[in-house]
Amino acid sequence: MSTSARAAVVVDAAGAVEIRSYDVPDPGPGEFVLKLELCGVCGTDAHIYQGRLASIAFPALLGHEIVGTLAALGEGVTADHAGRPVSVGDRVGVFPALSCGRCYQCQVRHRPGNCPRRSPSYGFKSPVTDPPHLTGGFAEYLHASKPGTVFYRTDLPAETAVLQEPMSVALHGVERGSVGVGSTVLVQGVGAIGLMAVVAARAAGAHRVVAVGAPDARLELAAALGADATVSIQELTDVAERRRAIFDALGAPGADCVVGASGSPHAFMEAVGLVADGGVLAELGNFTDRGTVPFNPFSDLLKRDITIAGVYGAGPDMLRRYHQALLILERGGWPYDRVVSHRVPLERVGEALTALGSGSPLDGRDIVKLAIDPAA
Ligand SMILES: [Zn+2]
Ligand SMILES: [Zn+2]
């Protein structure tokens, strides 16, 4: 294509983020080029920016929660992964992971993340100085340079479509937590993934969903997205007091499933204490190493017959969950458009990554979900 694209490149860990320009290539067979509309900023991006993911070499072009319109289609690209015809101008969400789908890990073990033939996902290929350059979402264009890249066409607004990736993680959590018709669910933590877990629990048939976290604006959003009751950790700072309030809200001494989406080892131990006997803690908040915590195998685990399930990202079967996430979002019924709290231009990617990494507000407002908008 006879155009160039601006890209926000992280020059070094915790270093400068500068705008560089790359030519947008013509897509080869099986490839396509996307004009980016919105790319969600994920906790993982902030983590990479702090230099805590050894597989990333700088300078790097990050961004894997990718939504845009098809700008050019390579030979043979005529339909999305669901088989629906596509043409230039259609809005699509791109599935970032690139496993082979055929090997022992992919087919027999259902562990595409362990696929030995896996290419780095979009937003994780580095350094950006090696071609193809435009493989991350914090840019004006994305070059889907791997033939067979999975993408889904959607008519959803971009700020809703961008929730497909976080929703797929929440779905993994709810499934690991064995949530079904009639379950009671406690969602601990009301960041973007916790909010999506409220919706996912409802979609799975939960009978009662309670969300615990802060600040109030996020708790209100959790209620708008389907939580029956909310408990504020700012109002109830004492753990025992909070536990009583949560049990009152659940109407039972513990939840069948606690989705741990808050991300500290102490919150993890609090979550263990909120699981009903025989229930499950699906822990997805401690996504990075935040340290250890004392644990009593007898009284915390065996005596109560509980299960602790680790939930790492969208997990195995991530493609199925990605597709399911889109079905849930397209079904509508909840104010998804309220989840993206900030749309910021490419020039502010560094600032956005810093704010997200430190949990501080941006533009004087608490961050729920940040998205990069190259047209902003
Ligand atoms: Zn992510
Ligand atoms: Zn494979």
Side-chain angles (χ1 to χ4, degrees):
M1 292 173 70
S2 57
T3 183
S4 64
R6 292 179 312 130
V9 171
V10 177
V11 179
D12 206 350
V17 179
E18 61 183 40
I19 304 292
R20 295 186 184 177
S21 190
Y22 296 98
D23 289 336
V24 182
D26 289 319
E31 304 178 356
F32 61 91
V33 170
L34 191 77
K35 186 174 196 303
L36 270 138
E37 294 184 291
L38 222 48
C39 184
V41 186
C42 173
T44 309
D45 297 315
H47 183 59
I48 293 170
Y49 182 54
Q50 288 156 3
R52 294 207 227 124
L53 199 65
S55 57
I56 298 287
F58 295 99
L61 175 55
L62 310 180
H64 57 272
E65 299 178 1
I66 300 161
V67 175
T69 53
L70 293 169
L73 301 172
E75 191 194 317
V77 182
T78 56
D80 74 357
H81 198 68
R84 299 172 299 187
V86 290
S87 45
V88 166
D90 284 348
R91 175 172 296 140
V92 302
V94 177
F95 182 68
L98 296 164
S99 42
C100 81
R102 293 190 297 272
C103 71
Y104 174 71
Q105 292 291 345
C106 286
Q107 280 290 328
V108 180
R109 296 195 67 236
H110 295 293
R111 301 292 310 176
N114 296 350
C115 171
R117 283 189 286 182
R118 178 172 196 241
S119 307
S121 303
Y122 293 110
F124 292 88
K125 189 195 77 69
S126 63
V128 67
T129 39
D130 295 345
H133 306 290
L134 293 167
T135 60
F138 298 158
E140 287 177 307
Y141 286 86
L142 176 91
H143 176 203
S145 55
K146 184 86 178 167
T149 294
V150 171
F151 64 96
Y152 294 98
R153 194 188 78 200
T154 182
D155 294 325
L156 288 171
E159 65 266 26
T160 301
V162 82
L163 301 175
Q164 192 175 4
E165 206 257 357
M167 179 69 89
S168 66
V169 177
L171 282 170
H172 182 205
V174 161
E175 197 172 307
R176 289 281 275 153
S178 302
V179 176
V181 175
S183 301
T184 55
V185 178
L186 174 71
V187 176
Q188 183 203 43
V190 282
I193 291 186
L195 292 170
M196 292 303 100
V198 168
V199 176
R202 280 265 95 102
H207 149 71
R208 190 151 180 88
V209 181
V210 175
V212 55
D216 285 349
R218 287 197 201 187
L219 290 174
E220 279 160 33
L221 191 48
L225 290 165
D228 298 297
T230 60
V231 174
S232 164
I233 58 167
Q234 275 169 355
E235 216 169 278
L236 297 174
T237 51
D238 177 69
V239 174
E241 221 180 306
R242 193 146 72 208
R243 189 161 181 258
R244 274 194 298 277
I246 289 167
F247 288 181
D248 281 350
L250 285 165
D256 298 326
C257 168
V258 176
V259 177
S262 98
S264 84
H266 291 286
F268 169 81
M269 278 317 293
E270 187 176 343
V272 169
L274 297 168
V275 179
D277 288 0
V280 186
L281 166 60
E283 171 61 30
L284 51 82
N286 281 276
F287 190 76
T288 62
D289 189 345
R290 305 273 297 272
T292 57
V293 80
F295 184 86
N296 184 317
F298 170 68
S299 57
D300 291 328
L301 187 71
L302 277 73
K303 187 167 160 259
R304 299 165 48 216
D305 246 331
I306 69 169
T307 301
I308 296 175
V311 181
Y312 197 67
D317 264 348
M318 50 176 116
L319 192 50
R320 169 169 64 81
R321 294 198 179 90
Y322 204 71
H323 197 157
Q324 289 169 327
L326 185 63
L327 296 176
I328 291 177
L329 292 168
E330 287 185 337
R331 172 80 173 74
W334 306 110
Y336 295 121
D337 55 339
R338 289 177 54 195
V339 179
V340 171
S341 55
H342 294 71
R343 291 174 79 125
V344 304
L346 292 172
E347 290 73 15
R348 297 185 66 198
V349 164
E351 212 185 319
L353 290 168
T354 304
L356 193 68
S358 62
S360 38
L362 188 63
D363 300 331
R365 285 179 296 122
D366 171 54
I367 295 170
V368 180
K369 181 73 190 170
L370 250 171
I372 305 302
D373 177 355

